[in-house]
Coordinates of all heavy atoms in Angstrom, one line a residue:
M978 N -53.7 20.1 58.9 CA -52.6 20.2 59.8 C -51.3 20.7 59.1 O -50.5 21.5 59.6 CB -52.4 18.9 60.5 CG -51.5 19.0 61.7 SD -52.2 20.0 63.0 CE -51.8 19.2 64.4
L979 N -51.0 20.1 57.9 CA -49.8 20.4 57.2 C -49.8 21.8 56.7 O -48.7 22.5 56.7 CB -49.5 19.4 56.0 CG -49.3 18.0 56.4 CD1 -49.2 17.1 55.1 CD2 -48.0 17.9 57.2
I980 N -50.9 22.3 56.3 CA -51.0 23.7 55.8 C -50.8 24.6 57.0 O -50.2 25.7 56.9 CB -52.4 23.9 55.1 CG1 -52.4 23.1 53.8 CG2 -52.6 25.4 54.8 CD1 -53.7 23.2 53.1
K981 N -51.4 24.3 58.1 CA -51.3 25.1 59.3 C -49.8 25.2 59.8 O -49.4 26.3 60.2 CB -52.1 24.5 60.5 CG -52.2 25.3 61.7 CD -53.1 24.7 62.7 CE -53.2 25.5 64.0 NZ -54.1 24.9 65.0
R982 N -49.0 24.2 59.6 CA -47.6 24.2 60.0 C -46.7 24.7 58.9 O -45.5 24.8 59.0 CB -47.1 22.8 60.3 CG -47.7 22.2 61.6 CD -47.1 20.9 61.9 NE -47.8 20.2 62.9 CZ -47.7 18.9 63.2 NH1 -46.8 18.2 62.5 NH2 -48.3 18.4 64.2
N983 N -47.3 25.1 57.8 CA -46.6 25.7 56.6 C -45.7 24.6 56.0 O -44.6 24.9 55.4 CB -45.8 26.9 57.0 CG -45.6 27.8 55.8 OD1 -46.3 27.7 54.8 ND2 -44.7 28.7 55.9
I984 N -46.1 23.3 56.1 CA -45.3 22.3 55.4 C -45.9 22.0 54.0 O -45.2 21.7 53.1 CB -45.4 21.0 56.3 CG1 -44.7 21.2 57.6 CG2 -44.8 19.8 55.5 CD1 -44.8 20.1 58.6
A985 N -47.2 22.2 53.9 CA -47.8 22.1 52.6 C -48.6 23.3 52.3 O -48.9 24.2 53.2 CB -48.8 20.9 52.6
S986 N -49.0 23.5 51.1 CA -49.8 24.7 50.7 C -50.9 24.3 49.8 O -50.8 23.3 49.0 CB -48.9 25.8 50.1 OG -48.3 25.3 49.0
L987 N -52.0 25.1 49.8 CA -53.1 24.8 48.9 C -52.8 25.5 47.5 O -52.5 26.7 47.4 CB -54.4 25.5 49.5 CG -55.6 25.3 48.7 CD1 -56.0 23.8 48.6 CD2 -56.8 26.1 49.4
I988 N -52.9 24.7 46.5 CA -52.6 25.2 45.1 C -53.8 24.9 44.3 O -54.3 23.8 44.1 CB -51.4 24.4 44.6 CG1 -50.2 24.8 45.4 CG2 -51.2 24.8 43.1 CD1 -48.9 24.1 45.0
D989 N -54.4 26.0 43.7 CA -55.5 26.0 42.9 C -55.2 26.1 41.4 O -56.0 25.6 40.6 CB -56.5 27.1 43.2 CG -57.2 26.9 44.6 OD1 -57.4 25.7 45.0 OD2 -57.5 27.9 45.2
N990 N -54.1 26.7 41.1 CA -53.8 26.9 39.7 C -52.3 27.0 39.5 O -51.5 26.9 40.4 CB -54.5 28.2 39.1 CG -54.2 29.4 39.9 OD1 -53.1 29.6 40.4 ND2 -55.2 30.2 40.1
A991 N -51.9 27.2 38.2 CA -50.4 27.3 37.9 C -49.8 28.4 38.6 O -48.6 28.3 39.0 CB -50.3 27.3 36.4
D992 N -50.4 29.6 38.7 CA -49.8 30.7 39.3 C -49.5 30.5 40.8 O -48.5 30.9 41.3 CB -50.8 31.9 39.2 CG -50.9 32.5 37.8 OD1 -49.9 32.3 37.0 OD2 -51.9 33.0 37.4
D993 N -50.4 29.7 41.5 CA -50.1 29.4 42.9 C -48.9 28.5 43.0 O -48.0 28.6 43.9 CB -51.3 28.6 43.5 CG -52.5 29.5 43.7 OD1 -52.3 30.7 43.6 OD2 -53.6 28.9 43.9
L994 N -48.7 27.6 42.0 CA -47.5 26.7 42.0 C -46.2 27.5 41.8 O -45.2 27.3 42.5 CB -47.7 25.6 41.0 CG -46.5 24.6 40.8 CD1 -46.3 23.8 42.1 CD2 -46.7 23.7 39.6
I995 N -46.3 28.4 40.9 CA -45.1 29.2 40.6 C -44.7 30.1 41.8 O -43.6 30.2 42.1 CB -45.4 30.1 39.3 CG1 -45.5 29.3 38.1 CG2 -44.3 31.2 39.2 CD1 -46.0 30.0 36.9
K996 N -45.7 30.6 42.5 CA -45.5 31.4 43.7 C -44.9 30.5 44.8 O -44.0 30.9 45.5 CB -46.8 32.1 44.1 CG -46.6 33.2 45.1 CD -47.9 33.9 45.3 CE -47.8 35.1 46.2 NZ -49.1 35.8 46.4
A997 N -45.5 29.3 45.0 CA -45.1 28.5 46.1 C -43.6 28.0 45.9 O -42.9 27.8 46.9 CB -46.0 27.3 46.2
L998 N -43.2 27.8 44.7 CA -41.8 27.3 44.4 C -40.8 28.5 44.2 O -39.7 28.2 43.9 CB -41.8 26.4 43.1 CG -42.6 25.1 43.3 CD1 -42.7 24.4 42.0 CD2 -42.0 24.3 44.4
N999 N -41.3 29.7 44.3 CA -40.5 30.9 44.1 C -39.8 30.9 42.7 O -38.6 31.3 42.6 CB -39.4 31.0 45.2 CG -40.1 31.3 46.6 OD1 -41.1 32.0 46.6 ND2 -39.5 30.7 47.6
W1000 N -40.5 30.5 41.7 CA -40.0 30.6 40.4 C -40.1 32.0 39.8 O -41.1 32.7 40.1 CB -40.7 29.6 39.5 CG -40.4 28.2 39.7 CD1 -39.4 27.6 40.5 CD2 -41.1 27.1 39.1 NE1 -39.5 26.3 40.4 CE2 -40.5 25.9 39.6 CE3 -42.2 26.9 38.3 CZ2 -40.9 24.6 39.3 CZ3 -42.6 25.7 37.9 CH2 -42.0 24.5 38.4
E1001 N -39.1 32.4 39.0 CA -39.2 33.7 38.4 C -39.9 33.5 37.0 O -39.6 32.6 36.3 CB -37.8 34.3 38.2 CG -37.1 34.6 39.4 CD -35.7 35.2 39.2 OE1 -35.5 35.7 38.1 OE2 -34.9 35.1 40.1
T1002 N -40.8 34.3 36.7 CA -41.5 34.2 35.4 C -40.9 35.3 34.5 O -40.6 36.4 34.9 CB -43.0 34.5 35.6 OG1 -43.2 35.8 36.2 CG2 -43.6 33.4 36.4
Q1003 N -40.8 34.9 33.2 CA -40.3 35.8 32.2 C -41.5 36.3 31.5 O -42.3 35.6 31.0 CB -39.3 35.1 31.3 CG -38.1 34.6 31.9 CD -37.2 33.8 30.9 OE1 -37.7 33.5 29.8 NE2 -36.0 33.5 31.3
K1004 N -41.5 37.6 31.3 CA -42.6 38.3 30.6 C -42.2 38.3 29.1 O -41.1 38.8 28.7 CB -42.8 39.7 31.1 CG -43.2 39.6 32.5 CD -44.0 40.8 32.9 CE -44.2 40.7 34.4 NZ -45.3 41.4 34.9
K1005 N -43.0 37.7 28.3 CA -42.7 37.6 26.9 C -43.3 38.8 26.2 O -44.4 39.2 26.4 CB -43.3 36.3 26.3 CG -42.7 35.1 26.8 CD -43.3 33.9 26.1 CE -42.6 32.6 26.6 NZ -43.2 31.4 26.0
E1006 N -42.5 39.4 25.3 CA -43.0 40.5 24.6 C -43.7 40.0 23.3 O -43.3 39.0 22.7 CB -41.8 41.4 24.1 CG -41.0 42.0 25.2 CD -39.9 42.9 24.8 OE1 -40.0 43.4 23.6 OE2 -39.0 43.2 25.5
P1007 N -44.8 40.7 23.0 CA -45.6 40.2 21.8 C -44.8 40.3 20.5 O -43.9 41.2 20.4 CB -46.8 41.1 21.8 CG -46.5 42.3 22.7 CD -45.4 41.8 23.6
V1008 N -45.0 39.3 19.7 CA -44.3 39.3 18.4 C -45.1 39.9 17.3 O -46.3 39.6 17.2 CB -44.0 37.8 18.0 CG1 -43.3 37.8 16.6 CG2 -43.1 37.2 19.1
Q1009 N -44.6 40.9 16.6 CA -45.3 41.5 15.5 C -45.4 40.6 14.3 O -44.4 40.1 13.8 CB -44.5 42.8 15.1 CG -45.1 43.6 13.9 CD -46.5 44.2 14.3 OE1 -46.7 44.7 15.4 NE2 -47.4 44.2 13.3
M1010 N -46.6 40.4 13.8 CA -46.8 39.6 12.7 C -46.4 40.4 11.4 O -46.5 41.6 11.4 CB -48.3 39.1 12.6 CG -48.7 38.3 13.7 SD -47.9 36.6 13.7 CE -48.7 35.9 12.3
E1011 N -46.0 39.7 10.4 CA -45.7 40.3 9.1 C -47.0 40.8 8.4 O -47.9 40.0 8.2 CB -45.0 39.4 8.1 CG -43.6 39.2 8.4 CD -43.0 38.3 7.3 OE1 -43.2 37.1 7.3 OE2 -42.2 38.9 6.5
L1012 N -47.1 42.1 8.2 CA -48.3 42.6 7.5 C -48.1 42.5 6.0 O -49.1 42.1 5.3 CB -48.6 44.0 7.9 CG -48.9 44.3 9.4 CD1 -49.1 45.8 9.6 CD2 -50.2 43.5 9.7
F1013 N -47.0 42.8 5.5 CA -46.7 42.8 4.1 C -45.5 41.9 3.9 O -44.4 42.2 4.2 CB -46.4 44.2 3.6 CG -47.5 45.2 3.9 CD1 -47.3 46.1 4.9 CD2 -48.7 45.1 3.2 CE1 -48.3 47.0 5.1 CE2 -49.7 46.0 3.4 CZ -49.5 47.0 4.4
V1014 N -45.8 40.7 3.3 CA -44.8 39.7 3.1 C -44.0 40.0 1.8 O -44.6 40.3 0.8 CB -45.5 38.3 3.0 CG1 -44.4 37.2 2.7 CG2 -46.2 38.0 4.2
E1015 N -42.7 40.0 1.9 CA -41.9 40.2 0.8 C -41.2 38.9 0.4 O -40.5 38.4 1.3 CB -40.8 41.3 1.1 CG -41.2 42.7 0.7 CD -40.1 43.7 0.8 OE1 -39.1 43.5 0.1 OE2 -40.2 44.6 1.6
L1016 N -41.3 38.5 -0.8 CA -40.7 37.3 -1.2 C -39.5 37.7 -2.2 O -39.7 38.5 -3.0 CB -41.7 36.3 -1.9 CG -42.9 35.9 -1.1 CD1 -43.8 35.1 -2.0 CD2 -42.4 35.1 0.1
K1017 N -38.4 37.0 -2.0 CA -37.2 37.3 -2.8 C -36.6 36.0 -3.4 O -36.7 35.0 -2.7 CB -36.2 38.1 -2.0 CG -36.7 39.4 -1.5 CD -35.6 40.1 -0.6 CE -36.2 41.3 0.0 NZ -35.3 41.9 0.9
G1018 N -36.0 36.1 -4.5 CA -35.3 35.0 -5.1 C -36.0 33.7 -5.2 O -37.1 33.7 -5.9
A1019 N -35.5 32.7 -4.6 CA -36.2 31.3 -4.7 C -37.6 31.3 -4.1 O -38.4 30.6 -4.6 CB -35.3 30.3 -4.0
E1020 N -37.8 32.1 -3.1 CA -39.2 32.1 -2.5 C -40.2 32.6 -3.5 O -41.3 32.1 -3.6 CB -39.2 33.1 -1.3 CG -38.4 32.6 -0.1 CD -38.3 33.6 1.0 OE1 -38.6 34.8 0.8 OE2 -38.0 33.2 2.1
K1021 N -39.8 33.7 -4.2 CA -40.7 34.3 -5.3 C -40.9 33.3 -6.4 O -42.0 33.1 -6.9 CB -40.1 35.6 -5.8 CG -40.9 36.2 -6.9 CD -42.1 36.9 -6.3 CE -42.7 37.8 -7.3 NZ -44.2 37.7 -7.3
Q1022 N -39.9 32.6 -6.8 CA -40.0 31.6 -7.9 C -40.9 30.4 -7.5 O -41.8 30.0 -8.3 CB -38.6 31.0 -8.2 CG -37.7 31.9 -8.9 CD -36.3 31.3 -9.2 OE1 -35.9 30.4 -8.4 NE2 -35.6 31.7 -10.2
I1023 N -40.8 30.0 -6.3 CA -41.6 28.9 -5.8 C -43.1 29.3 -5.7 O -44.0 28.7 -6.1 CB -41.1 28.4 -4.4 CG1 -39.8 27.7 -4.6 CG2 -42.2 27.4 -3.8 CD1 -39.1 27.4 -3.3
Y1024 N -43.3 30.5 -5.1 CA -44.6 31.1 -5.0 C -45.3 31.2 -6.4 O -46.5 30.8 -6.6 CB -44.6 32.4 -4.3 CG -46.0 33.0 -4.1 CD1 -46.7 32.6 -3.0 CD2 -46.5 33.9 -4.9 CE1 -48.0 33.2 -2.8 CE2 -47.8 34.5 -4.7 CZ -48.5 34.1 -3.6 OH -49.8 34.6 -3.5
D1025 N -44.6 31.8 -7.3 CA -45.1 31.9 -8.7 C -45.5 30.6 -9.3 O -46.4 30.5 -10.1 CB -44.1 32.7 -9.6 CG -44.0 34.2 -9.1 OD1 -44.9 34.7 -8.4 OD2 -43.0 34.8 -9.5
A1026 N -44.6 29.6 -9.1 CA -44.9 28.2 -9.6 C -46.2 27.6 -9.0 O -46.9 26.8 -9.7 CB -43.7 27.3 -9.4
L1027 N -46.5 27.9 -7.8 CA -47.7 27.4 -7.1 C -48.9 28.2 -7.3 O -50.0 27.7 -7.1 CB -47.4 27.3 -5.6 CG -46.4 26.2 -5.1 CD1 -46.1 26.5 -3.7 CD2 -47.0 24.9 -5.3
L1028 N -48.7 29.4 -7.8 CA -49.9 30.3 -8.0 C -50.9 29.8 -9.0 O -50.5 29.2 -10.0 CB -49.4 31.7 -8.5 CG -50.3 32.9 -8.3 CD1 -50.6 33.1 -6.8 CD2 -49.6 34.2 -8.8
N1029 N -52.1 29.9 -8.7 CA -53.2 29.5 -9.6 C -53.3 27.9 -9.8 O -53.8 27.5 -10.8 CB -53.2 30.2 -11.0 CG -53.3 31.7 -10.8 OD1 -54.1 32.1 -9.9 ND2 -52.6 32.4 -11.6
K1030 N -52.7 27.2 -8.9 CA -52.8 25.7 -8.9 C -53.2 25.2 -7.6 O -53.0 25.8 -6.5 CB -51.4 25.1 -9.2 CG -50.9 25.5 -10.6 CD -49.7 24.7 -10.9 CE -49.2 25.1 -12.4 NZ -48.0 24.4 -12.8
D1031 N -54.0 24.1 -7.6 CA -54.4 23.6 -6.3 C -53.3 23.1 -5.5 O -53.2 23.3 -4.3 CB -55.4 22.4 -6.6 CG -56.7 22.9 -7.1 OD1 -57.1 24.1 -6.9 OD2 -57.4 22.1 -7.8
F1032 N -52.4 22.3 -6.1 CA -51.2 21.8 -5.4 C -50.1 21.4 -6.5 O -50.5 21.2 -7.6 CB -51.5 20.6 -4.5 CG -52.1 19.5 -5.2 CD1 -51.3 18.5 -5.9 CD2 -53.5 19.3 -5.3 CE1 -51.9 17.5 -6.6 CE2 -54.1 18.3 -6.0 CZ -53.3 17.3 -6.6
V1033 N -48.9 21.3 -6.0 CA -47.8 20.9 -6.9 C -46.9 20.0 -6.2 O -46.6 20.2 -5.0 CB -47.0 22.2 -7.4 CG1 -45.8 21.7 -8.3 CG2 -47.9 23.1 -8.2
H1034 N -46.5 18.9 -6.8 CA -45.6 17.9 -6.2 C -44.2 18.5 -6.2 O -43.8 19.2 -7.1 CB -45.7 16.6 -7.0 CG -45.0 15.5 -6.3 ND1 -43.7 15.2 -6.4 CD2 -45.5 14.6 -5.4 CE1 -43.4 14.1 -5.7 NE2 -44.5 13.7 -5.1
I1035 N -43.4 18.1 -5.2 CA -42.1 18.6 -5.1 C -41.2 18.3 -6.2 O -40.3 19.1 -6.7 CB -41.4 18.2 -3.7 CG1 -40.2 19.0 -3.4 CG2 -41.1 16.7 -3.7 CD1 -39.7 18.9 -2.0
S1036 N -41.3 17.1 -6.8 CA -40.5 16.8 -8.0 C -40.8 17.6 -9.2 O -40.0 18.0 -10.0 CB -40.6 15.3 -8.3 OG -41.9 15.0 -8.7
E1037 N -42.1 18.0 -9.3 CA -42.5 18.9 -10.4 C -42.0 20.3 -10.2 O -41.5 20.9 -11.1 CB -44.1 18.9 -10.5 CG -44.6 19.7 -11.6 CD -46.1 19.8 -11.6 OE1 -46.8 18.9 -10.9 OE2 -46.7 20.8 -12.1
L1038 N -42.0 20.7 -9.0 CA -41.4 22.0 -8.6 C -39.9 22.0 -8.9 O -39.4 23.0 -9.5 CB -41.6 22.4 -7.2 CG -42.8 23.1 -6.7 CD1 -42.9 23.2 -5.2 CD2 -42.9 24.4 -7.4
S1039 N -39.2 21.0 -8.5 CA -37.8 20.9 -8.7 C -37.4 20.9 -10.2 O -36.5 21.6 -10.6 CB -37.2 19.6 -8.1 OG -35.9 19.5 -8.3
A1040 N -38.2 20.2 -11.0 CA -37.9 20.2 -12.5 C -38.3 21.5 -13.1 O -37.5 22.0 -14.0 CB -38.7 19.1 -13.1
K1041 N -39.4 22.1 -12.7 CA -39.8 23.4 -13.3 C -38.9 24.5 -13.0 O -38.6 25.3 -13.9 CB -41.2 23.7 -12.8 CG -41.8 24.9 -13.5 CD -43.2 25.1 -13.0 CE -43.8 26.3 -13.7 NZ -45.2 26.6 -13.4
L1042 N -38.4 24.5 -11.8 CA -37.5 25.6 -11.3 C -36.0 25.3 -11.5 O -35.2 26.2 -11.3 CB -37.8 25.9 -9.8 CG -39.2 26.4 -9.5 CD1 -39.3 26.5 -8.0 CD2 -39.6 27.6 -10.2
K1043 N -35.7 24.1 -11.9 CA -34.3 23.7 -12.1 C -33.5 23.9 -10.8 O -32.4 24.5 -10.8 CB -33.7 24.3 -13.3 CG -34.3 24.0 -14.6 CD -33.7 24.6 -15.8 CE -34.3 24.2 -17.1 NZ -35.3 25.0 -17.6
M1044 N -34.1 23.5 -9.7 CA -33.5 23.7 -8.4 C -33.4 22.4 -7.7 O -34.3 21.6 -7.7 CB -34.5 24.6 -7.6 CG -34.0 25.1 -6.3 SD -35.2 26.1 -5.4 CE -35.4 27.5 -6.5
P1045 N -32.2 22.2 -7.1 CA -32.0 20.9 -6.3 C -33.0 20.8 -5.2 O -33.4 21.8 -4.6 CB -30.6 21.0 -5.8 CG -30.1 22.3 -6.1 CD -31.1 23.1 -7.0
V1046 N -33.4 19.5 -4.9 CA -34.5 19.3 -4.0 C -34.1 19.8 -2.6 O -34.9 20.3 -1.8 CB -34.8 17.8 -3.9 CG1 -35.8 17.5 -2.8 CG2 -35.4 17.3 -5.3
H1047 N -32.8 19.6 -2.2 CA -32.4 20.1 -0.8 C -32.6 21.6 -0.6 O -33.0 22.0 0.4 CB -31.0 19.6 -0.5 CG -29.9 20.3 -1.3 ND1 -29.5 19.9 -2.6 CD2 -29.2 21.4 -1.0 CE1 -28.6 20.7 -3.0 NE2 -28.3 21.6 -2.1
K1048 N -32.3 22.3 -1.7 CA -32.5 23.8 -1.6 C -34.0 24.1 -1.6 O -34.4 25.0 -0.8 CB -31.8 24.5 -2.7 CG -31.9 26.0 -2.6 CD -31.1 26.7 -3.7 CE -31.3 28.2 -3.6 NZ -30.7 28.9 -4.7
L1049 N -34.7 23.4 -2.4 CA -36.1 23.6 -2.5 C -36.8 23.3 -1.2 O -37.7 24.1 -0.7 CB -36.7 22.7 -3.6 CG -38.1 22.8 -4.0 CD1 -38.4 24.2 -4.5 CD2 -38.5 21.8 -5.1
L1050 N -36.4 22.2 -0.6 CA -37.0 21.8 0.7 C -36.8 22.8 1.8 O -37.7 23.1 2.6 CB -36.5 20.4 1.2 CG -37.2 19.2 0.5 CD1 -36.4 18.0 0.9 CD2 -38.6 19.1 0.9
S1051 N -35.6 23.4 1.9 CA -35.3 24.3 2.9 C -36.2 25.6 2.7 O -36.7 26.2 3.7 CB -33.8 24.7 3.0 OG -33.4 25.3 1.8
T1052 N -36.3 26.0 1.5 CA -37.1 27.2 1.2 C -38.6 26.9 1.4 O -39.3 27.8 2.0 CB -36.9 27.7 -0.3 OG1 -35.5 27.8 -0.5 CG2 -37.5 29.0 -0.5
L1053 N -39.1 25.7 1.1 CA -40.5 25.4 1.3 C -40.8 25.3 2.8 O -41.9 25.8 3.2 CB -40.8 24.0 0.7 CG -40.9 24.0 -0.8 CD1 -40.9 22.5 -1.3 CD2 -42.1 24.7 -1.3
V1054 N -39.9 24.8 3.6 CA -40.1 24.8 5.0 C -40.2 26.2 5.6 O -41.0 26.5 6.5 CB -39.1 23.9 5.8 CG1 -39.1 24.1 7.3 CG2 -39.2 22.5 5.4
D1055 N -39.3 27.1 5.1 CA -39.3 28.4 5.6 C -40.6 29.1 5.3 O -41.2 29.8 6.1 CB -38.1 29.2 5.0 CG -38.0 30.6 5.5 OD1 -38.1 30.8 6.7 OD2 -37.9 31.5 4.6
L1056 N -41.1 28.9 4.0 CA -42.4 29.5 3.6 C -43.6 28.9 4.4 O -44.5 29.6 4.7 CB -42.6 29.3 2.1 CG -41.7 30.1 1.2 CD1 -41.8 29.7 -0.2 CD2 -42.0 31.6 1.3
E1057 N -43.4 27.6 4.8 CA -44.5 27.0 5.6 C -44.5 27.6 7.0 O -45.6 27.8 7.5 CB -44.2 25.5 5.6 CG -45.4 24.7 6.2 CD -45.1 23.2 6.1 OE1 -44.1 22.7 5.6 OE2 -46.0 22.5 6.7
F1058 N -43.3 27.8 7.6 CA -43.3 28.4 8.9 C -43.8 29.8 8.9 O -44.4 30.2 9.9 CB -41.9 28.4 9.5 CG -41.4 27.0 9.9 CD1 -40.0 26.7 9.9 CD2 -42.2 26.0 10.3 CE1 -39.5 25.5 10.3 CE2 -41.8 24.8 10.7 CZ -40.4 24.5 10.7
R1059 N -43.7 30.5 7.8 CA -44.2 31.8 7.8 C -45.7 31.9 7.4 O -46.3 33.0 7.4 CB -43.4 32.6 6.7 CG -42.0 32.9 7.2 CD -41.1 33.4 6.1 NE -41.5 34.6 5.5 CZ -41.0 35.1 4.4 NH1 -40.0 34.5 3.8 NH2 -41.5 36.3 3.9
G1060 N -46.3 30.7 7.2 CA -47.7 30.7 7.0 C -48.2 31.0 5.5 O -49.3 31.3 5.3
I1061 N -47.2 30.9 4.6 CA -47.5 31.2 3.2 C -47.9 30.0 2.4 O -48.8 30.0 1.6 CB -46.3 31.9 2.6 CG1 -46.0 33.2 3.3 CG2 -46.5 32.1 1.1 CD1 -44.7 33.9 2.9
L1062 N -47.3 28.9 2.7 CA -47.5 27.6 2.1 C -48.0 26.6 3.1 O -47.8 26.7 4.3 CB -46.3 27.0 1.4 CG -45.6 27.9 0.3 CD1 -44.4 27.1 -0.3 CD2 -46.6 28.2 -0.8
Q1063 N -48.6 25.5 2.6 CA -49.0 24.4 3.4 C -48.5 23.1 2.7 O -48.7 22.9 1.5 CB -50.5 24.3 3.6 CG -50.9 23.1 4.4 CD -52.4 23.0 4.6 OE1 -53.1 23.7 3.9 NE2 -52.8 22.2 5.5
A1064 N -47.9 22.2 3.5 CA -47.4 20.9 3.0 C -48.6 20.0 3.1 O -49.4 19.9 4.0 CB -46.3 20.3 3.8
L1065 N -48.9 19.3 2.0 CA -49.9 18.3 1.9 C -49.4 16.9 1.8 O -48.2 16.7 1.6 CB -50.8 18.6 0.6 CG -51.4 19.9 0.5 CD1 -52.0 20.1 -0.9 CD2 -52.4 20.1 1.6
P1066 N -50.2 15.9 2.1 CA -49.7 14.5 2.0 C -49.1 14.2 0.6 O -49.7 14.7 -0.4 CB -50.9 13.7 2.3 CG -51.8 14.5 3.1 CD -51.5 15.9 2.6
G1067 N -48.1 13.4 0.5 CA -47.5 13.0 -0.7 C -46.6 14.0 -1.3 O -46.5 14.1 -2.5
N1068 N -45.9 14.8 -0.5 CA -44.9 15.8 -0.9 C -45.5 16.8 -1.9 O -44.8 17.2 -2.8 CB -43.7 15.1 -1.6 CG -42.8 14.3 -0.6 OD1 -42.7 14.8 0.6 ND2 -42.2 13.2 -1.0
R1069 N -46.7 17.2 -1.6 CA -47.3 18.3 -2.4 C -47.4 19.5 -1.5 O -47.5 19.5 -0.3 CB -48.7 17.8 -2.8 CG -48.7 16.6 -3.7 CD -50.0 16.0 -4.0 NE -50.7 15.7 -2.8 CZ -52.0 15.6 -2.6 NH1 -52.8 15.8 -3.6 NH2 -52.5 15.3 -1.4
Y1070 N -47.5 20.6 -2.2 CA -47.6 21.9 -1.5 C -48.6 22.8 -2.2 O -48.9 22.7 -3.4 CB -46.2 22.7 -1.6 CG -45.2 22.0 -0.7 CD1 -44.4 20.9 -1.2 CD2 -45.0 22.4 0.6 CE1 -43.5 20.3 -0.3 CE2 -44.1 21.8 1.4 CZ -43.3 20.7 0.9 OH -42.4 20.1 1.8
T1071 N -49.3 23.6 -1.4 CA -50.3 24.6 -1.9 C -50.1 25.9 -1.2 O -49.5 26.0 -0.1 CB -51.7 24.0 -1.6 OG1 -52.6 24.9 -2.3 CG2 -52.0 23.9 -0.2
I1072 N -50.7 27.0 -1.8 CA -50.6 28.3 -1.2 C -51.7 28.5 -0.2 O -52.8 28.2 -0.4 CB -50.7 29.4 -2.3 CG1 -49.5 29.3 -3.2 CG2 -50.8 30.8 -1.7 CD1 -49.5 30.3 -4.4
L1073 N -51.3 29.0 1.0 CA -52.3 29.4 2.0 C -52.6 30.8 2.0 O -53.8 31.2 2.3 CB -51.7 29.0 3.4 CG -51.8 27.6 3.9 CD1 -51.3 27.5 5.3 CD2 -53.3 27.1 3.9
K1074 N -51.6 31.7 1.8 CA -51.8 33.1 1.9 C -51.3 33.8 0.7 O -50.2 33.6 0.2 CB -50.9 33.5 3.1 CG -50.9 35.0 3.5 CD -50.0 35.2 4.7 CE -49.9 36.6 5.1 NZ -49.0 36.7 6.2
K1075 N -52.2 34.6 0.1 CA -51.9 35.4 -1.1 C -51.0 36.6 -0.7 O -51.3 37.2 0.3 CB -53.1 35.9 -1.8 CG -54.1 34.8 -2.2 CD -53.6 34.1 -3.5 CE -54.7 33.1 -3.9 NZ -54.2 32.3 -5.1
V1076 N -50.0 36.8 -1.5 CA -49.1 37.9 -1.2 C -49.1 38.8 -2.4 O -49.4 38.5 -3.5 CB -47.7 37.5 -0.8 CG1 -47.6 36.9 0.5 CG2 -47.0 36.6 -1.8

């Protein structure tokens, strides 16, 4: 009865809900992945320090590179977001993607 009076509507999926509520959908453009990763400055130093090792602790990286931990952490997170490094338990890092 409610559907007949146009008070309620039958919704089978998310698209039906969007249409029923008159929501505007934004079309997302595809994001181009990096094919050739370029590392510069601190990123290159960190990558080279991790190369050919299973993992390296952050304090070892800081001492080896003579880099403050706050700067090191920001660069490590950036490399992790780009899929180059992986954070392991115990503040250790390893290489995921060879460049």
Side-chain angles (χ1 to χ4, degrees):
M978 192 65 140
L979 293 175
I980 294 174
K981 186 176 181 181
R982 291 185 191 164
N983 206 17
I984 295 172
S986 61
L987 181 64
I988 296 177
D989 288 332
N990 54 39
D992 291 331
D993 291 345
L994 178 64
I995 291 169
K996 195 174 184 180
L998 296 175
N999 293 323
W1000 287 350
E1001 293 180 22
T1002 57
Q1003 296 177 350
K1004 301 204 180 202
K1005 294 182 181 179
E1006 294 183 23
V1008 177
Q1009 175 71 35
M1010 297 293 291
E1011 279 185 288
L1012 294 177
F1013 304 104
V1014 178
E1015 269 189 59
L1016 301 176
K1017 297 177 186 173
E1020 294 174 341
K1021 180 75 171 139
Q1022 290 177 331
I1023 292 168
Y1024 183 84
D1025 290 342
L1027 288 169
L1028 201 58
N1029 299 323
K1030 295 187 178 182
D1031 290 335
F1032 58 85
V1033 178
H1034 193 272
I1035 193 165
S1036 61
E1037 184 182 339
L1038 271 175
S1039 179
K1041 184 175 183 178
L1042 300 175
K1043 297 181 176 96
M1044 188 181 297
V1046 175
H1047 69 275
K1048 183 178 179 186
L1049 186 60
L1050 277 172
S1051 65
T1052 309
L1053 286 169
V1054 168
D1055 183 47
L1056 289 170
E1057 190 176 355
F1058 284 155
R1059 291 169 57 192
I1061 298 169
L1062 300 182
Q1063 179 182 14
L1065 301 173
N1068 289 327
R1069 299 173 300 158
Y1070 289 86
T1071 188
I1072 293 177
L1073 277 182
K1074 181 178 176 183
K1075 301 280 184 188
V1076 291

